[in-house]
Amino acid sequence: MSFSADRYLKLFREELYQRVLPFWMNHSLDRECGGYFNCLDREGKVYDTTKYMWLQSRQLWMLSRLYNTAGKNPDWLEAARLGYDFIAAHGQGPEGRVYFSLDRQGRPKFIQRKVFAECFYIMALAEYSRAVGRPELKEEAVRMFRQVLRWVEDPSSLGRPAFEGNPPVSELAVPMIILALVDAIADESEPAAYESLIAKCLSEIRLHVRGELKLVLENVAPDGSLLQGAQGRLVNPGHSIETGWFVLEEGLKRRDDSAKSLGLQMIDWSFEHGWDKEHGGLYYFLDAEGLSPLPLEWFMKLWWPHCEAAYAMLLAFSVTGEKRYAERFEQITDYAFRHLSDPGHGEWYGYLDRRGSPTHTLKGGPYKGCFHVPRFLWLSIRLLEKMV
Amino acid sequence: MSFSADRYLKLFREELYQRVLPFWMNHSLDRECGGYFNCLDREGKVYDTTKYMWLQSRQLWMLSRLYNTAGKNPDWLEAARLGYDFIAAHGQGPEGRVYFSLDRQGRPKFIQRKVFAECFYIMALAEYSRAVGRPELKEEAVRMFRQVLRWVEDPSSLGRPAFEGNPPVSELAVPMIILALVDAIADESEPAAYESLIAKCLSEIRLHVRGELKLVLENVAPDGSLLQGAQGRLVNPGHSIETGWFVLEEGLKRRDDSAKSLGLQMIDWSFEHGWDKEHGGLYYFLDAEGLSPLPLEWFMKLWWPHCEAAYAMLLAFSVTGEKRYAERFEQITDYAFRHLSDPGHGEWYGYLDRRGSPTHTLKGGPYKGCFHVPRFLWLSIRLLEKMV
């Protein structure tokens, strides 16, 4: 049977507009204190009022992005403003750091010694700037981006002391997030402004893609040699696949064939290695030599790797026309709609055991918000519309 | 059938002396760089050379404790010295903090903003001091203990900033570990020295034992009121049961009937709530209102809660003579020997899925070392010997 873009377009539009966005629009908006409730149970009831800045920013980004690209729905803009006002009033602490979590009223709870809260803040600000036509917010995003580049160069400036027992490490997450940030802030009028930074990210990513192992490692030495121990063997298939489609899109934008093949290679190897042949679904973590990965939850099936992998396969199919990518897209989408989607209550489950049964009934939590599912559906709909 | 102390005495002696201690004595001693290898796979092969200070100290404590109480085996003393020399040379960093992890050679890798590395260091030093007859090491342990009490009073002194969005919290782990430290350092010659501190710990623990819920909460407000949100609903059955038997032993030592009943109450409620009626085994985390606990691994069955619970039931049986405690001891021991013990290779598995199959084949890792299994067997053997 040949691939039916029509069928998926219909399915994804229904899922996005009837079951996913309504969940967040109906349950997450905190009209009393501003911002978004993040901790929502299966039905959308608030089970904890902590506000997580990763997710405040990601929801602001998502709503602004939809407003900018999928129809000027005033409800999305109004909901985006609710998030922006809260983030602007409460999100930043000393030295320009963005908090990790706040209480319901916006009082700070925790700050991480990592830059991800800042990264999602940058993406949100840049996108919201376009939605409301306020260029000064984009300028603020660019300033924060430059600061993030400085923090990344010297992580000890975030308060995590550098110790001599730790060898220098290239983490895949760093060039990946910088690529994503460049994509978020670079407007079409400035194609050359970030060229050398993009090239640096791509060459750093390339160090993680290991021909001798046929897989993508999360951590390698900065010179590309393998790191000893569990850290050096860690594989995160969902993350590698997500980085793969970023690199593939970058290759398409830059007409860079070597980036395109690199992205396809990352997607191929990571899916091949990461898919559970017995029970289906993508493992959260694996060890390159087949030992037990140290994270206790390594064998669980999370929602976001399936979002990333399904979109990666659809993109790879649209680029190459190879049937195997369409088949994998259908395989992953089928798994996601059977195990993760929850038509009765909207949004997706986030966490399944190895056999595919939910271990958590929550729809929103400290790391799951209005982001991966609607982004996946929106990205896929855009691509399917071009295919139809 | 009546309880057969003989049968368990035989089983536990074989397990400890033929299958658990030999695993660590054969595989963990690093003769080249000193200290102990912590990351050992199912057969005992080193899969990572990182040395975790929690486990360096706990193994030093265990070997010294066995030497002090279970026969003067010179191999144990020699292995203890290997650990002590490494810890003394490399364990401490700036401001007297004890590192969380070191590389194989002892160069620092990481320091936590928590006091547990210091706590296990204190226990190890005090016990090793008795084994080698060096009272100055006990004095060093007491000095560190006083420092830990200061850090606990003001956690922001460890570098974790205090933020106004966090309500003050009483964590069960704190009075629990202080009780354990007092037990580790107080010699019989000084029964009154720590009286008021013990009383303070017991009254803080009492705040966590909730008659209205019939369970033990990990976190409550310092005035005993309930905390909002997921943090306030978190239950860790293994930890509550472990605290329960500590409190019960404290009650026995002090002839304090109210502490004895408190300990029994904690054991009863935590087991009743924490045992998986469908698949057996103790859950790692639960939510007091039955929601999904936030830790992804909440449904897993870990080795240490089963060690703590089996010993707690044996102790409760020896104190009360009530048959139900003997039955629960047999139920938990049966589960542990069917699912966790690995007679072919020694030591126990650490991590099982909800159905009781190992998710990790490792025997030693960042949080699992020569401690819970041998301590459980040694504690139980001591008690069973009195019963026989």
Side-chain angles (χ1 to χ4, degrees):
Chain A
M1 201 182 78
S2 71
F3 179 73
S4 163
D6 272 325
R7 184 190 145 220
Y8 286 102
L9 193 53
K10 180 164 178 296
L11 176 67
F12 285 11
R13 280 181 177 150
E14 283 174 10
E15 189 76 359
L16 178 61
Y17 295 113
Q18 291 170 32
R19 292 185 285 270
V20 171
L21 281 176
F23 180 89
W24 298 104
M25 293 297 285
N26 292 338
H27 303 299
S28 74
L29 309 182
D30 184 356
R31 297 275 173 212
E32 198 175 312
C33 299
Y36 312 119
F37 291 116
N38 294 133
C39 293
L40 300 172
D41 73 4
R42 184 179 177 192
E43 291 84 12
K45 199 158 68 69
V46 178
Y47 64 86
D48 190 309
T49 57
T50 304
K51 289 174 178 164
Y52 293 92
M53 279 297 296
W54 286 26
L55 305 179
Q56 300 292 315
S57 294
R58 285 174 149 183
Q59 183 158 352
L60 171 56
W61 176 86
M62 188 74 244
L63 292 167
S64 304
R65 190 70 162 167
L66 286 169
Y67 183 80
N68 290 338
T69 63
K72 302 279 176 205
N73 184 331
D75 292 345
W76 297 340
L77 188 63
E78 195 274 333
R81 185 168 293 127
L82 189 73
Y84 171 74
D85 289 346
F86 184 82
I87 291 169
H90 307 292
Q92 275 184 284
E95 297 163 42
R97 292 298 317 277
V98 174
Y99 291 114
F100 178 73
S101 53
L102 310 168
D103 72 4
R104 185 179 173 191
Q105 285 73 30
R107 289 173 298 215
K109 289 179 80 71
F110 187 60
I111 200 159
Q112 282 188 315
R113 299 181 290 185
K114 297 174 182 172
V115 295
F116 297 109
E118 285 80 2
C119 292
F120 302 129
Y121 173 85
I122 291 165
M123 292 171 64
L125 229 58
E127 200 62 40
Y128 182 66
S129 155
R130 293 179 195 111
V132 291
R134 288 177 57 186
E136 76 277 16
L137 299 182
K138 159 84 187 291
E139 286 158 26
E140 157 69 4
V142 172
R143 266 196 304 277
M144 177 66 88
F145 177 61
R146 295 212 185 94
Q147 178 61 54
V148 162
L149 292 179
R150 285 191 293 270
W151 279 324
V152 163
E153 284 300 310
D154 175 19
S156 71
S157 62
L158 297 173
R160 188 182 284 274
F163 286 122
E164 52 169 332
N166 288 320
V169 176
S170 162
E171 295 172 53
L172 183 60
V174 171
M176 149 73 174
I177 194 87
I178 292 174
L179 265 193
L181 292 178
V182 169
D183 183 62
I185 62 177
D187 286 313
E188 279 152 29
S189 60
E190 41 189 20
Y194 298 98
E195 272 304 300
S196 70
L197 188 58
I198 293 172
K200 184 165 170 261
C201 289
L202 289 174
S203 73
E204 191 170 343
I205 289 170
R206 206 176 284 276
L207 300 178
H208 293 256
V209 186
R210 312 301 302 202
E212 75 275 38
L213 302 168
K214 298 204 170 181
L215 44 79
V216 181
L217 295 174
E218 280 296 293
N219 305 298
V220 296
D223 67 0
S225 56
L226 297 179
L227 293 167
Q228 293 301 302
Q231 179 192 33
R233 294 190 304 264
L234 189 67
V235 175
N236 180 332
H239 191 233
S240 307
I241 292 173
E242 183 181 10
T243 309
W245 74 250
F246 258 79
V247 169
L248 178 54
E249 286 203 340
E250 206 57 52
L252 291 168
K253 269 193 290 188
R254 294 150 53 89
R255 297 167 204 274
D256 172 346
D257 283 343
S258 85
K260 276 160 57 180
S261 343
L262 178 67
L264 289 168
Q265 191 64 270
M266 294 176 79
I267 294 167
D268 283 341
W269 285 344
S270 305
F271 181 81
E272 196 52 51
H273 183 229
W275 187 260
D276 179 350
K277 275 87 185 167
E278 194 177 344
H279 296 287
L282 285 162
Y283 289 113
Y284 188 14
F285 291 105
L286 287 168
D287 176 285
E289 293 178 15
L291 301 179
S292 314
L294 292 181
L296 297 197
E297 65 274 22
W298 73 267
F299 58 89
M300 289 175 68
K301 312 291 166 67
L302 273 62
W303 84 108
W304 66 262
H306 298 87
C307 295
E308 302 307 323
Y311 177 66
M313 295 306 171
L314 189 63
L315 181 65
F317 177 60
S318 85
V319 171
T320 65
E322 286 180 39
K323 194 172 145 228
R324 66 193 176 102
Y325 288 119
E327 285 164 0
R328 285 174 175 179
F329 165 77
E330 299 199 285
Q331 176 185 355
I332 301 161
T333 302
D334 177 61
Y335 182 90
F337 276 77
R338 271 191 300 121
H339 295 277
L340 293 161
S341 175
D342 182 24
H345 298 93
E347 242 299 311
W348 288 11
Y349 293 116
Y351 306 96
L352 312 177
D353 65 16
R354 193 180 156 197
R355 291 159 188 258
S357 300
T359 57
H360 293 66
T361 49
L362 62 85
K363 297 290 174 53
Y367 296 93
K368 181 173 189 294
C370 176
F371 183 67
H372 282 101
V373 181
R375 183 178 75 156
F376 154 61
L377 294 167
W378 162 78
L379 282 166
S380 301
I381 288 167
R382 280 206 319 180
L383 207 49
L384 288 162
E385 283 171 347
K386 284 188 207 154
M387 289 181 189
V388 170
Chain B
M1 202 182 79
S2 70
F3 180 72
S4 164
D6 271 325
R7 185 191 144 219
Y8 286 103
L9 193 54
K10 180 166 178 295
L11 176 67
F12 285 13
R13 280 181 177 149
E14 282 174 11
E15 189 77 359
L16 178 60
Y17 295 113
Q18 290 171 32
R19 292 186 284 270
V20 171
L21 282 175
F23 180 89
W24 298 105
M25 294 296 286
N26 292 337
H27 303 300
S28 73
L29 309 182
D30 184 357
R31 298 274 173 213
E32 197 175 314
C33 299
Y36 311 120
F37 291 116
N38 295 132
C39 293
L40 301 172
D41 72 5
R42 183 179 178 193
E43 291 84 11
K45 199 159 66 72
V46 177
Y47 64 84
D48 191 307
T49 57
T50 304
K51 289 175 178 164
Y52 292 92
M53 279 297 297
W54 287 25
L55 306 178
Q56 301 291 314
S57 294
R58 284 175 148 183
Q59 183 158 352
L60 171 56
W61 177 86
M62 189 73 244
L63 292 167
S64 304
R65 190 70 161 167
L66 286 169
Y67 183 80
N68 291 336
T69 64
K72 303 279 176 204
N73 184 332
D75 292 345
W76 296 341
L77 188 64
E78 194 272 334
R81 183 168 295 127
L82 188 72
Y84 171 75
D85 289 346
F86 184 82
I87 290 169
H90 307 294
Q92 275 183 286
E95 297 162 44
R97 293 296 319 275
V98 173
Y99 291 114
F100 178 74
S101 52
L102 310 168
D103 71 4
R104 184 178 174 191
Q105 285 74 30
R107 289 175 296 215
K109 288 180 79 71
F110 187 60
I111 200 158
Q112 280 188 315
R113 297 181 293 186
K114 299 175 181 171
V115 295
F116 297 109
E118 284 81 2
C119 293
F120 302 128
Y121 173 85
I122 291 165
M123 294 172 63
L125 230 56
E127 200 60 40
Y128 183 67
S129 155
R130 293 178 196 110
V132 291
R134 288 177 58 186
E136 76 276 16
L137 298 182
K138 159 84 188 294
E139 286 159 27
E140 157 70 3
V142 172
R143 267 196 304 278
M144 177 65 90
F145 176 61
R146 296 214 184 92
Q147 178 62 55
V148 162
L149 291 179
R150 286 191 291 271
W151 278 324
V152 163
E153 284 301 310
D154 175 18
S156 70
S157 61
L158 297 173
R160 187 183 286 272
F163 286 122
E164 53 170 331
N166 288 320
V169 177
S170 162
E171 294 172 54
L172 183 61
V174 171
M176 149 74 175
I177 194 88
I178 292 174
L179 265 194
L181 292 178
V182 169
D183 184 63
I185 62 177
D187 286 314
E188 280 152 28
S189 60
E190 43 188 20
Y194 298 99
E195 272 303 299
S196 69
L197 189 58
I198 292 172
K200 184 166 170 257
C201 289
L202 289 174
S203 71
E204 190 169 344
I205 288 169
R206 207 175 284 277
L207 301 178
H208 293 256
V209 186
R210 312 302 301 202
E212 76 275 36
L213 302 167
K214 299 203 169 181
L215 45 79
V216 182
L217 295 175
E218 280 296 294
N219 305 298
V220 297
D223 67 0
S225 57
L226 297 179
L227 292 167
Q228 294 300 304
Q231 180 192 33
R233 294 190 305 264
L234 189 68
V235 175
N236 180 332
H239 190 234
S240 308
I241 293 174
E242 183 182 11
T243 310
W245 74 251
F246 258 80
V247 170
L248 179 53
E249 286 203 339
E250 206 58 50
L252 291 168
K253 268 194 289 186
R254 296 151 51 89
R255 297 167 203 276
D256 172 346
D257 283 344
S258 84
K260 276 159 58 178
S261 340
L262 178 67
L264 289 168
Q265 190 65 272
M266 294 177 79
I267 294 167
D268 283 342
W269 285 345
S270 305
F271 181 80
E272 198 50 52
H273 184 229
W275 188 261
D276 180 349
K277 276 85 184 169
E278 193 178 344
H279 296 288
L282 285 160
Y283 290 113
Y284 189 14
F285 292 105
L286 287 168
D287 177 285
E289 293 178 14
L291 301 179
S292 313
L294 293 181
L296 297 197
E297 64 275 22
W298 72 267
F299 58 89
M300 289 175 68
K301 312 291 167 67
L302 272 62
W303 85 106
W304 67 263
H306 298 86
C307 295
E308 302 306 322
Y311 176 67
M313 295 306 171
L314 189 63
L315 181 66
F317 176 59
S318 84
V319 171
T320 65
E322 286 179 39
K323 195 173 143 225
R324 65 194 176 103
Y325 288 119
E327 286 165 359
R328 285 174 176 179
F329 166 77
E330 298 199 287
Q331 176 185 353
I332 301 161
T333 302
D334 177 60
Y335 181 89
F337 276 78
R338 272 191 301 120
H339 296 277
L340 292 161
S341 175
D342 183 24
H345 298 93
E347 242 299 312
W348 288 11
Y349 294 116
Y351 306 94
L352 312 177
D353 66 15
R354 192 178 157 200
R355 292 159 187 257
S357 301
T359 56
H360 293 66
T361 49
L362 61 85
K363 297 290 175 53
Y367 295 94
K368 182 173 189 292
C370 176
F371 182 67
H372 282 101
V373 181
R375 183 177 75 155
F376 154 62
L377 295 167
W378 163 78
L379 283 166
S380 301
I381 288 167
R382 279 206 320 179
L383 207 49
L384 289 163
E385 283 171 346
K386 286 187 206 156
M387 288 182 189
V388 170

Short mmCIF file of all heavy atoms in Angstrom, two decimals, chain A residues 136-169:
data_model
loop_
_atom_site.label_atom_id
_atom_site.label_comp_id
_atom_site.label_asym_id
_atom_site.label_seq_id
_atom_site.Cartn_x
_atom_site.Cartn_y
_atom_site.Cartn_z
N GLU A 136 12.19 44.91 19.86
CA GLU A 136 13.08 45.00 21.02
C GLU A 136 13.16 43.68 21.77
O GLU A 136 14.16 43.38 22.45
CB GLU A 136 12.70 46.16 21.95
CG GLU A 136 11.47 45.94 22.82
CD GLU A 136 10.13 46.21 22.11
OE1 GLU A 136 10.11 46.29 20.87
OE2 GLU A 136 9.10 46.32 22.82
N LEU A 137 12.11 42.85 21.67
CA LEU A 137 12.15 41.54 22.34
C LEU A 137 13.11 40.60 21.61
O LEU A 137 13.82 39.80 22.22
CB LEU A 137 10.76 40.92 22.41
CG LEU A 137 9.73 41.74 23.20
CD1 LEU A 137 8.39 41.00 23.25
CD2 LEU A 137 10.23 42.02 24.61
N LYS A 138 13.14 40.70 20.30
CA LYS A 138 14.11 39.94 19.52
C LYS A 138 15.53 40.36 19.88
O LYS A 138 16.43 39.52 20.03
CB LYS A 138 13.81 40.16 18.03
CG LYS A 138 14.94 39.87 17.07
CD LYS A 138 15.04 38.40 16.69
CE LYS A 138 16.30 38.16 15.87
NZ LYS A 138 16.27 38.76 14.53
N GLU A 139 15.72 41.68 20.05
CA GLU A 139 17.06 42.16 20.43
C GLU A 139 17.48 41.60 21.80
O GLU A 139 18.64 41.22 21.99
CB GLU A 139 17.11 43.69 20.45
CG GLU A 139 17.13 44.29 19.05
CD GLU A 139 16.65 45.74 19.02
OE1 GLU A 139 16.77 46.44 20.05
OE2 GLU A 139 16.13 46.16 17.94
N GLU A 140 16.52 41.54 22.71
CA GLU A 140 16.80 40.96 24.04
C GLU A 140 17.17 39.48 23.90
O GLU A 140 18.08 38.98 24.57
CB GLU A 140 15.57 41.16 24.94
CG GLU A 140 15.39 40.22 26.11
CD GLU A 140 16.41 40.41 27.22
OE1 GLU A 140 17.23 41.33 27.11
OE2 GLU A 140 16.38 39.61 28.17
N ALA A 141 16.47 38.78 22.97
CA ALA A 141 16.78 37.37 22.74
C ALA A 141 18.21 37.22 22.21
O ALA A 141 18.95 36.31 22.61
CB ALA A 141 15.77 36.75 21.76
N VAL A 142 18.60 38.10 21.31
CA VAL A 142 19.95 38.03 20.73
C VAL A 142 21.00 38.31 21.80
O VAL A 142 22.04 37.64 21.87
CB VAL A 142 20.08 38.99 19.53
CG1 VAL A 142 21.52 39.07 19.05
CG2 VAL A 142 19.16 38.54 18.38
N ARG A 143 20.72 39.29 22.66
CA ARG A 143 21.66 39.57 23.77
C ARG A 143 21.82 38.33 24.66
O ARG A 143 22.93 37.95 25.02
CB ARG A 143 21.14 40.73 24.64
CG ARG A 143 21.68 42.10 24.26
CD ARG A 143 21.43 43.13 25.37
NE ARG A 143 20.03 43.23 25.75
CZ ARG A 143 19.12 43.98 25.09
NH1 ARG A 143 19.48 44.69 24.04
NH2 ARG A 143 17.86 44.00 25.50
N MET A 144 20.70 37.70 25.01
CA MET A 144 20.75 36.51 25.86
C MET A 144 21.49 35.38 25.15
O MET A 144 22.24 34.63 25.76
CB MET A 144 19.34 36.08 26.25
CG MET A 144 19.27 34.82 27.07
SD MET A 144 19.99 34.97 28.72
CE MET A 144 18.56 35.55 29.63
N PHE A 145 21.30 35.28 23.83
CA PHE A 145 21.99 34.24 23.05
C PHE A 145 23.50 34.41 23.15
O PHE A 145 24.24 33.45 23.35
CB PHE A 145 21.52 34.32 21.59
CG PHE A 145 22.22 33.35 20.68
CD1 PHE A 145 22.12 31.98 20.89
CD2 PHE A 145 22.98 33.80 19.61
CE1 PHE A 145 22.77 31.09 20.04
CE2 PHE A 145 23.63 32.91 18.77
CZ PHE A 145 23.53 31.55 18.99
N ARG A 146 23.97 35.67 23.03
CA ARG A 146 25.42 35.91 23.14
C ARG A 146 25.92 35.52 24.52
O ARG A 146 27.00 34.96 24.67
CB ARG A 146 25.72 37.39 22.87
CG ARG A 146 25.38 37.78 21.43
CD ARG A 146 26.30 38.87 20.87
NE ARG A 146 25.80 39.25 19.54
CZ ARG A 146 24.97 40.27 19.33
NH1 ARG A 146 24.58 41.05 20.34
NH2 ARG A 146 24.55 40.54 18.12
N GLN A 147 25.10 35.80 25.54
CA GLN A 147 25.47 35.43 26.92
C GLN A 147 25.54 33.90 27.06
O GLN A 147 26.44 33.37 27.69
CB GLN A 147 24.45 36.04 27.89
CG GLN A 147 24.69 35.70 29.34
CD GLN A 147 26.03 36.20 29.85
OE1 GLN A 147 26.36 37.38 29.73
NE2 GLN A 147 26.84 35.31 30.40
N VAL A 148 24.57 33.21 26.45
CA VAL A 148 24.56 31.74 26.50
C VAL A 148 25.84 31.18 25.86
O VAL A 148 26.46 30.25 26.38
CB VAL A 148 23.30 31.16 25.83
CG1 VAL A 148 23.47 29.68 25.47
CG2 VAL A 148 22.09 31.35 26.74
N LEU A 149 26.26 31.78 24.74
CA LEU A 149 27.50 31.31 24.09
C LEU A 149 28.69 31.47 25.04
O LEU A 149 29.56 30.60 25.11
CB LEU A 149 27.75 32.07 22.79
CG LEU A 149 26.76 31.81 21.65
CD1 LEU A 149 27.13 32.64 20.43
CD2 LEU A 149 26.71 30.32 21.28
N ARG A 150 28.70 32.56 25.82
CA ARG A 150 29.80 32.75 26.79
C ARG A 150 29.71 31.70 27.91
O ARG A 150 30.73 31.13 28.31
CB ARG A 150 29.76 34.16 27.38
CG ARG A 150 30.27 35.24 26.39
CD ARG A 150 30.48 36.60 27.08
NE ARG A 150 29.22 37.20 27.52
CZ ARG A 150 28.47 38.02 26.78
NH1 ARG A 150 28.85 38.35 25.56
NH2 ARG A 150 27.35 38.53 27.27
N TRP A 151 28.50 31.44 28.40
CA TRP A 151 28.35 30.44 29.46
C TRP A 151 28.78 29.05 28.98
O TRP A 151 29.39 28.28 29.71
CB TRP A 151 26.88 30.40 29.96
CG TRP A 151 26.54 31.48 30.94
CD1 TRP A 151 27.36 31.98 31.92
CD2 TRP A 151 25.29 32.17 31.06
NE1 TRP A 151 26.68 32.95 32.64
CE2 TRP A 151 25.41 33.09 32.15
CE3 TRP A 151 24.07 32.12 30.38
CZ2 TRP A 151 24.37 33.93 32.55
CZ3 TRP A 151 23.04 32.95 30.79
CH2 TRP A 151 23.19 33.86 31.86
N VAL A 152 28.43 28.74 27.73
CA VAL A 152 28.76 27.43 27.19
C VAL A 152 30.28 27.28 27.05
O VAL A 152 30.83 26.20 27.26
CB VAL A 152 28.04 27.23 25.82
CG1 VAL A 152 28.66 26.11 25.03
CG2 VAL A 152 26.56 26.99 26.04
N GLU A 153 30.95 28.37 26.71
CA GLU A 153 32.42 28.33 26.60
C GLU A 153 33.06 28.04 27.95
O GLU A 153 34.11 27.42 28.04
CB GLU A 153 32.97 29.68 26.07
CG GLU A 153 32.78 29.90 24.59
CD GLU A 153 33.47 28.83 23.75
OE1 GLU A 153 34.66 28.55 24.00
OE2 GLU A 153 32.81 28.26 22.87
N ASP A 154 32.44 28.54 29.02
CA ASP A 154 33.01 28.39 30.36
C ASP A 154 31.92 27.98 31.35
O ASP A 154 31.39 28.80 32.09
CB ASP A 154 33.67 29.71 30.81
CG ASP A 154 34.17 29.62 32.25
OD1 ASP A 154 34.34 28.48 32.76
OD2 ASP A 154 34.37 30.68 32.87
N PRO A 155 31.56 26.67 31.36
CA PRO A 155 30.44 26.23 32.19
C PRO A 155 30.65 26.48 33.68
O PRO A 155 29.68 26.58 34.43
CB PRO A 155 30.37 24.72 31.91
CG PRO A 155 31.11 24.51 30.64
CD PRO A 155 32.15 25.59 30.60
N SER A 156 31.91 26.63 34.13
CA SER A 156 32.13 26.85 35.56
C SER A 156 31.57 28.21 35.97
O SER A 156 31.32 28.45 37.15
CB SER A 156 33.60 26.73 35.91
OG SER A 156 34.30 27.83 35.38
N SER A 157 31.34 29.12 34.98
CA SER A 157 30.75 30.41 35.31
C SER A 157 29.31 30.27 35.78
O SER A 157 28.73 31.19 36.34
CB SER A 157 30.81 31.35 34.10
OG SER A 157 30.06 30.80 33.04
N LEU A 158 28.70 29.09 35.58
CA LEU A 158 27.34 28.85 36.07
C LEU A 158 27.35 28.31 37.50
O LEU A 158 26.31 27.99 38.06
CB LEU A 158 26.61 27.86 35.17
CG LEU A 158 26.39 28.32 33.73
CD1 LEU A 158 25.81 27.19 32.90
CD2 LEU A 158 25.47 29.53 33.69
N GLY A 159 28.53 28.17 38.10
CA GLY A 159 28.59 27.77 39.50
C GLY A 159 28.88 26.30 39.71
O GLY A 159 28.89 25.82 40.84
N ARG A 160 29.08 25.56 38.63
CA ARG A 160 29.46 24.16 38.79
C ARG A 160 30.98 24.09 38.70
O ARG A 160 31.54 24.32 37.63
CB ARG A 160 28.82 23.32 37.68
CG ARG A 160 28.99 21.82 37.85
CD ARG A 160 28.37 21.06 36.67
NE ARG A 160 26.94 21.01 36.72
CZ ARG A 160 26.24 20.09 37.38
NH1 ARG A 160 26.87 19.13 38.03
NH2 ARG A 160 24.94 20.09 37.37
N PRO A 161 31.66 23.83 39.82
CA PRO A 161 33.11 23.89 39.78
C PRO A 161 33.71 22.89 38.79
O PRO A 161 33.17 21.79 38.60
CB PRO A 161 33.53 23.54 41.21
CG PRO A 161 32.32 23.19 41.97
CD PRO A 161 31.12 23.40 41.11
N ALA A 162 34.81 23.29 38.14
CA ALA A 162 35.51 22.38 37.22
C ALA A 162 36.48 21.55 38.05
O ALA A 162 37.23 22.10 38.85
CB ALA A 162 36.27 23.20 36.18
N PHE A 163 36.44 20.25 37.91
CA PHE A 163 37.32 19.38 38.69
C PHE A 163 38.26 18.63 37.77
O PHE A 163 37.87 18.22 36.67
CB PHE A 163 36.49 18.40 39.52
CG PHE A 163 35.81 19.03 40.71
CD1 PHE A 163 34.43 18.96 40.86
CD2 PHE A 163 36.55 19.68 41.69
CE1 PHE A 163 33.80 19.53 41.96
CE2 PHE A 163 35.92 20.25 42.80
CZ PHE A 163 34.55 20.18 42.93
N GLU A 164 39.48 18.38 38.27
CA GLU A 164 40.51 17.79 37.41
C GLU A 164 40.25 16.33 37.07
O GLU A 164 40.86 15.79 36.15
CB GLU A 164 41.89 17.95 38.05
CG GLU A 164 41.91 17.45 39.48
CD GLU A 164 43.31 17.35 40.08
OE1 GLU A 164 44.28 17.16 39.33
OE2 GLU A 164 43.42 17.43 41.32
N GLY A 165 39.33 15.66 37.81
CA GLY A 165 39.03 14.26 37.49
C GLY A 165 38.08 14.11 36.31
O GLY A 165 37.82 12.99 35.87
N ASN A 166 37.54 15.23 35.83
CA ASN A 166 36.63 15.17 34.69
C ASN A 166 37.37 15.51 33.41
O ASN A 166 37.83 16.64 33.24
CB ASN A 166 35.48 16.18 34.85
CG ASN A 166 34.51 15.74 35.92
OD1 ASN A 166 34.19 14.57 36.02
ND2 ASN A 166 34.06 16.69 36.72
N PRO A 167 37.45 14.59 32.48
CA PRO A 167 38.07 14.94 31.20
C PRO A 167 37.14 15.91 30.45
O PRO A 167 35.94 15.91 30.69
CB PRO A 167 38.14 13.60 30.47
CG PRO A 167 37.07 12.76 31.09
CD PRO A 167 36.92 13.22 32.51
N PRO A 168 37.70 16.75 29.56
CA PRO A 168 36.84 17.63 28.77
C PRO A 168 35.89 16.79 27.91
O PRO A 168 36.26 15.73 27.41
CB PRO A 168 37.81 18.41 27.88
CG PRO A 168 39.18 18.08 28.36
CD PRO A 168 39.11 16.87 29.23
N VAL A 169 34.64 17.26 27.80
CA VAL A 169 33.61 16.50 27.10
C VAL A 169 32.91 17.38 26.08
O VAL A 169 32.61 18.54 26.35
CB VAL A 169 32.55 15.99 28.11
CG1 VAL A 169 31.41 15.27 27.38
CG2 VAL A 169 33.17 15.07 29.14
#
